[in-house]
Amino acid sequence: MSKKILIVDDEVHIRLLLKYALEDFEDAGVELLSASDGLEAWDVVQAERPDLIILDVMMPGLSGYEVCQRIKSDPDLSNTHVMLTAKGQAVDRQRGTEVGANEYITKPFDPHYLVERTADVLSIRV
């Protein structure tokens, strides 16, 4: 079974940047999925069971916090690694911790760091 990464952001250019940064993982057999809002993300999470989710906090429908909380509250999904992305305010980081995010990455993020963290989380070298 191949590993899956779900990229969730309501801004199309951010989704494309993330997909571009992570495209080498496709050569290693990883499937890249995407969603443009929290409701779509929740549907994809339930259907696809991704191994890693890169999840924007500020989105229409369900916020990234709400999606993360749903994931971490579901026994079948709770081991999913969730990286929240947003501005670096202390209150945002605290909220991320409260909803169970594994990591909180501030925007703008370094694509090289994201690739390194993704490789570590999925135990794949690209």
Side-chain angles (χ1 to χ4, degrees), residues 17-28 30 32 115 126:
L17 173 66
L18 288 166
K19 186 171 169 83
Y20 178 74
L22 299 173
E23 70 183 357
D24 286 346
F25 286 95
E26 289 180 306
D27 294 337
V30 176
L32 297 180
V115 168
V126 292

Side-chain angles (χ1 to χ4, degrees), residues 26-100:
E26 289 180 306
D27 294 337
V30 176
E31 185 177 354
L32 297 180
L33 309 167
S34 66
S36 60
D37 63 45
L39 291 171
E40 182 183 6
W42 179 240
D43 288 343
V44 173
V45 167
Q46 291 178 299
E48 298 291 337
R49 308 280 190 203
D51 302 280
L52 168 63
I53 303 171
I54 302 169
L55 182 61
D56 184 33
V57 166
M58 302 290 288
M59 291 184 300
L62 294 173
S63 73
Y65 296 129
E66 291 169 308
V67 174
C68 184
Q69 189 166 25
R70 285 184 180 195
I71 292 165
K72 295 302 184 172
S73 296
D74 184 325
D76 293 331
L77 299 170
S78 63
N79 289 329
T80 304
H81 195 95
V82 178
M83 293 181 184
L84 287 178
T85 63
K87 297 177 182 172
Q89 302 295 328
V91 67
D92 295 327
R93 286 183 176 278
Q94 177 62 34
R95 180 78 175 117
T97 300
E98 290 169 3
V99 298

Side-chain angles (χ1 to χ4, degrees), residues 1-5 29-32 50-51 121-124:
M1 177 194 274
S2 71
K3 296 190 179 197
K4 298 176 185 178
I5 299 170
V30 176
E31 185 177 354
L32 297 180
D51 302 280
V121 168
L122 298 180
S123 298
I124 295 174

